[in-house]
Amino acid sequence: MADTAIDHVSHSYDEANKAQKNVFDLESFVGDLNVEEDACSDDISLEGLQQELEECKDDDVVANILSKGVKLREYTKGVENNLRQVELDSIQAEIGSISADIKVLQEKSMDMGLKLKNRKVAESKLAKFVEEIIVPPRMIDIIVDGEVNDEYLRTLEILSKKLMVVEVDPVIKNSKALKDVQPELEKLRQKAVSKVFDFIVQKLHALRKPKTNIQILQQSVLLKYKYVISFLKDHSKEVYNEVRTAYIDTMNKVLSAHFRAYIQALEKLQLDIATSSDLIGVEARSSGLFLRGREPLKNRSAVFALGDRIKILKEIDEPALIPHIAEASSMKYPYEVLFRSLHKLLMDTATSEYKFCDVFFGEESMFHEIFAGPFAVIDEHFNSILPNSYDAIGLMLMILIIHLHQLIMSRRRIPCLDSYLDKVNIALWPRFKMVFDMHLSSLRNANVKTLWEDDVHPHYVMRRYAEFTASLMHLNVEYGEGQLDLNLERLRMAIDDLLIKLAKTFAKSKSQTVFLINNYDMTISVLKEVGPEGGKILVHFEDLLKSNTALFVEELLAEHFSELIKFVKTRGSEDLSSNPDRPITVAEIQPLVKDFASRWKAAIELMHKDVITSFSNFLCGMEILRAALTQLLLYYTRLTDCIKRIVGGSALNKDLVSISSIMYEIRKFSRTF
């Protein structure tokens, strides 16, 4: 139908062109006539007109025009208008037809495009389906006959993906093709499971060989095949559990044997420090300190003094001891050294094992099953050691070691030893408290008669106390345990009471004071050695030292200048006008002045010798002597002031010793220190 319309328009268009051509020819002819007509004014020529008219007389259009007498130009315009209208009508009809054709073509194109897209999707799904379900011969060869290596692991991953897709993809699961392939896939799964199980169990058996470096074997061998564990976990839970159980059993036994052997080797290196008799308030003659004939004195002193034992806290993260090297050099160590070494080994082994279990099995919880054996071995050892430990300093060091080890594990972000370290800490504190209370009871229940020695020098019990207290105070600086401070205060009260009882055993008051001063001075010196951590206890003994020093000065001066001192204290301070009935006279003072002048230098020398022999600390003795001489100078100054105020006192000036002379003598003794 469209073709017919196009033909009709084309025919009309041709007719119109033909008519237009005739009109154009006629117009040209008439134009020529007009030109010629215009030219006739000068030179009119109608030659050829008749011939052209003859040629056009047979044309219907021209004949029609001529018969109607219509002007040619008007007719031409009409033809042009008709021609344009026909052209427009033809174009509109053609455009409408073409639009309809285009729409039809668009619909056909969209339909073809959709069919092509559906075909491509179908082809893609089919290709994916085929790829996922097909079992290439090469894969079968590798799984069945290949060695477990990198290529085998890659093939194992491909097999795993196929097995998983078959399980979860409903299209494949319900396809007929699966019925042919599934038996083959199942055979491959079983073969792969069997093969990798035998392979990994063989690798685990290598862990049991003597002198095997477990960590190197884990890192360089087992971790290369960690996908085997993932495959078993995904495709054979039962076999995976067998491997898991085999690994736990292997490592449990291997590590248990390892720690047992290490502990046995460490026990040969142990140096015993204290027994139940090594207490502060126990008599030295009955103490175990003097029963260990072969033990060097420097080791026995470690019962109460910290000494170099504190170095272990600075070496907290040093490598563990190698027993056979230490044994070859005949080295012996306090138990805290062995304790640190054992727990250093435990921390490093636990850290490595915890990380391996997480990476290889993906199960951190396995750690506690593996270490149930090693923990039991360590607990057995520790439970045999702890009840027999009477070394309070060693116990406190172990408490601090555990504290520092907890910080190390926290920095490593490894929580697997948290509960174990807490348990050890909980076991150590009661034992320390028990041993500390034994020391406290030894002071409270001490037998003064058996402890007393007729010697004013520092008592060994007080030295034990000072060293013991200084050691614990020093260790507690880092730990900050308030309960320990309270216990140390209780211990201080007990030693105060015991020391007073020992002092009272001396017959002379002066000896009692000297005894107390020597012990207080020694205690202060020991407490200051550990730094400014003395706190209230240090201040307490410093106050006692001051008060007893003042008392000794008065006692010392009283031995040589009792009458002078008595006069100054009683009569020398009196107001002369307040007691007119009993005035101070020259006769009353003169004997005192002459006596002092005759022997003051000798008395000072005797005081010097007395101090030298009485006080074990030379510096302390010289300080006391200087204090005594200064006090003597004050008494004598008060005496001379009194003489100036009495009637006739100037008569005594000839017998008075000048203050400058006494000052010179004091400075002479001061130069000795």
Side-chain angles (χ1 to χ4, degrees), residues 76-242:
T76 300
K77 291 180 179 179
V79 171
E80 287 179 351
N81 292 334
N82 291 337
L83 183 59
R84 289 192 186 95
Q85 186 62 45
V86 170
E87 185 177 7
L88 290 173
D89 293 342
S90 174
I91 290 171
Q92 287 177 3
E94 185 176 4
I95 289 173
S97 175
I98 291 172
S99 177
D101 290 343
I102 290 174
K103 186 175 181 181
V104 171
L105 291 174
Q106 285 178 337
E107 291 176 353
K108 289 182 178 180
S109 176
M110 290 176 65
D111 184 57
M112 291 176 65
L114 182 61
K115 289 180 179 179
L116 180 61
K117 183 178 180 180
N118 291 338
R119 180 175 294 176
K120 287 182 177 180
V121 171
E123 288 179 356
S124 175
K125 288 186 175 181
L126 182 60
K128 185 179 179 182
F129 174 85
V130 172
E131 181 182 357
E132 289 175 342
I133 202 170
I134 194 171
V135 181
R138 175 63 178 164
M139 186 175 78
I140 296 174
D141 292 341
I142 293 173
I143 295 296
V144 174
D145 300 321
E147 293 183 2
V148 180
N149 50 27
D150 292 342
E151 183 183 21
Y152 193 94
L153 294 179
R154 290 193 295 270
T155 307
L156 208 60
E157 288 189 60
I158 297 172
L159 175 61
S160 176
K161 291 177 181 177
K162 291 182 181 296
L163 293 170
M164 287 182 175
V165 168
V166 166
E167 290 295 325
V168 302
D169 193 324
V171 176
I172 296 178
K173 201 169 186 178
N174 298 322
S175 66
K176 293 182 179 179
L178 181 61
K179 294 180 180 179
D180 296 330
V181 177
Q182 193 167 22
E184 299 302 321
L185 284 174
E186 177 59 21
K187 289 178 182 178
L188 283 179
R189 183 193 70 81
Q190 293 178 359
K191 181 62 179 177
V193 167
S194 174
K195 194 163 191 172
V196 298
F197 173 75
D198 293 340
F199 174 81
I200 205 70
V201 168
Q202 182 182 6
K203 297 298 181 186
L204 296 183
H205 284 162
L207 295 170
R208 300 190 178 192
K209 293 181 180 179
K211 299 182 180 180
T212 297
N213 190 315
I214 296 173
Q215 294 180 10
I216 291 179
L217 185 61
Q218 288 174 333
Q219 298 297 321
S220 62
V221 178
L222 291 179
L223 284 181
K224 288 173 58 179
Y225 302 100
K226 67 177 182 178
Y227 182 73
V228 168
I229 299 300
S230 299
F231 181 83
L232 292 176
K233 191 182 292 186
D234 292 335
H235 302 293
S236 183
K237 197 69 176 178
E238 298 81 4
V239 175
Y240 166 76
N241 287 333
E242 288 184 39

